[in-house]
Amino acid sequence: MNIEVLYFLALAMISLGLVLAFIRLVRGPSLPDRVVAIDLVVALAIGIIASYAILFDQPAFLDVAIIIALISFLGTIAFAYYIERRV
Amino acid sequence: MLREWIVAIVMILGAAFMLIASIGLLRMPDLFSRMSATSKAATLGAGLVMLAAALYFSESGITLRVLAIIVFLLLTVPVAAHMIGRAAYFDGVPLWKGTLIDDLRGHYRTSDHQLVRDAAESPEFAIPEGEEGDDFFN
């Protein structure tokens, strides 16, 4: 069996998780639910980037994962401040 | 050859943890149990997939970069989850109807969001109870 099939299987599992997270993002029902869903989407994006880097032998993509992790942390903190000041 | 199999196994393990985190986010009954499902499992899943990348490339520079990402995730994800959970509690996000005990009830002063030790039943300590679905999509 070709080993690349397993890499594609991992990519497909993460993509299915992305679909489920987007369902929660649309359904809500409250704003913190959506922020948690976006947080999970970012974690899944980091996984997709790492899988893509392995599959196509491109280690330069791992830098993108660093930047996405950094920006998502700042975004979550900003959303938390907004939700807490709103009430 | 053996190394590629190890990479594939670690990668599929990480992807499975991420899928479990997504199912938990979709199926859990209230915000706080959803956060408990996602923040731990998604961190472990992302860390395992990054570890698979480090094993696959097996160069010192890439391994260092992967370790930096994993340490950064382990530091920031709990902080972010705590801040979102705290803000959601002040926002009055409803707990699951099967919840038996809410240890924080009456301990947060709503005027300045400070934690105080003695529980009080005065209206100064009452968190406004939001109802399910108070946002724009439904």
Side-chain angles (χ1 to χ4, degrees):
Chain A
M1 189 178 68
N2 200 344
I3 197 90
E4 283 199 352
V5 177
L6 292 178
Y7 296 164
F8 272 113
L9 179 66
L11 208 51
M13 284 162 80
I14 301 177
S15 307
L16 180 62
L18 207 56
V19 172
L20 299 179
F22 265 108
I23 292 174
R24 175 54 70 198
L25 184 65
V26 171
R27 277 178 57 185
S30 65
L31 181 59
D33 284 300
R34 297 197 167 98
V35 178
V36 171
I38 285 195
D39 230 15
L40 184 64
V41 165
V42 168
L44 293 168
I46 292 173
I48 284 182
I49 289 168
S51 310
Y52 192 89
I54 292 174
L55 196 52
F56 295 100
D57 213 0
Q58 298 270 346
F61 282 124
L62 294 177
D63 293 338
V64 183
I66 298 181
I67 303 299
I68 287 185
L70 242 162
I71 290 176
S72 98
F73 175 61
L74 294 180
T76 309
I77 296 297
F79 266 118
Y81 264 110
Y82 166 64
I83 293 169
E84 204 172 324
R85 293 275 171 265
R86 195 174 63 156
V87 289
Chain B
M1 192 60 207
L2 177 67
R3 200 188 52 170
E4 286 183 342
W5 277 99
I6 294 173
V7 167
I9 288 170
V10 173
M11 200 169 151
I12 284 182
L13 206 61
F17 269 110
M18 285 181 161
L19 188 59
I20 289 169
S22 301
I23 293 171
L25 180 73
L26 193 61
R27 295 289 301 156
M28 283 289 187
D30 70 344
L31 171 78
F32 300 101
S33 44
R34 276 173 209 148
M35 277 175 39
S36 141
T38 60
S39 53
K40 285 171 288 196
T43 311
L44 183 58
L48 280 176
V49 177
M50 294 307 284
L51 195 67
L55 287 172
Y56 178 80
F57 292 111
S58 62
E59 291 172 33
S60 59
I62 291 168
T63 307
L64 204 63
R65 224 175 291 170
V66 165
L67 284 181
I69 298 177
I70 293 176
V71 168
F72 186 77
L73 281 179
L74 287 180
L75 281 178
T76 58
V77 168
V79 175
H82 173 254
M83 287 199 71
I84 284 291
R86 191 182 128 93
Y89 189 79
F90 283 127
D91 204 26
V93 169
L95 301 178
W96 180 42
K97 60 181 186 307
T99 306
L100 290 179
I101 187 165
D102 177 8
D103 272 336
L104 283 177
R105 175 180 293 277
H107 283 282
Y108 266 130
R109 210 186 297 128
T110 47
S111 53
D112 55 354
H113 290 193
Q114 284 297 310
L115 200 60
V116 287
R117 198 169 60 172
D118 296 321
E121 291 297 332
S122 65
E124 192 194 356
F125 286 84
I127 304 274
E129 197 72 36
E131 62 259 29
E132 194 79 34
D134 56 348
D135 263 307
F136 27 86
F137 266 101
N138 33 10

